[in-house]
Amino acid sequence: MSDFGNPAGFDLATVLTGSGVTLLLSAGIAKYGDQFRLSPAELYGISGLVLVVIGVVFGLVLVATGNR
């Protein structure tokens, strides 16, 4: 029996949560981006980099603890 939460080889809950975080960041940058010295493109880049770093660190912690 296949895992309902993992129908396509990736965790559906993780994908939906990541998409939601991305949309929230995008909405925040669109609404409040002009209040920062950085351009919206730079804010998108920085937020994307932060999400990638968090994901990699979290993945490494999972591997190191034997959960993946």
Side-chain angles (χ1 to χ4, degrees):
M1 176 178 254
S2 65
D3 181 8
F4 178 73
N6 192 8
F10 52 86
D11 186 14
L12 193 57
T14 303
V15 171
L16 292 175
T17 303
S19 298
V21 168
T22 302
L23 287 172
L24 286 172
L25 282 172
S26 297
I29 290 170
K31 175 109 174 132
Y32 302 109
D34 59 344
Q35 297 180 6
F36 297 100
R37 291 181 311 157
L38 302 172
S39 70
E42 292 169 328
L43 290 172
Y44 284 123
I46 291 169
S47 62
L49 181 64
V50 168
L51 289 175
V52 167
V53 169
I54 290 171
V56 168
V57 169
F58 183 62
L60 290 173
V61 168
L62 288 176
V63 169
T65 58
N67 290 315
R68 288 276 176 185

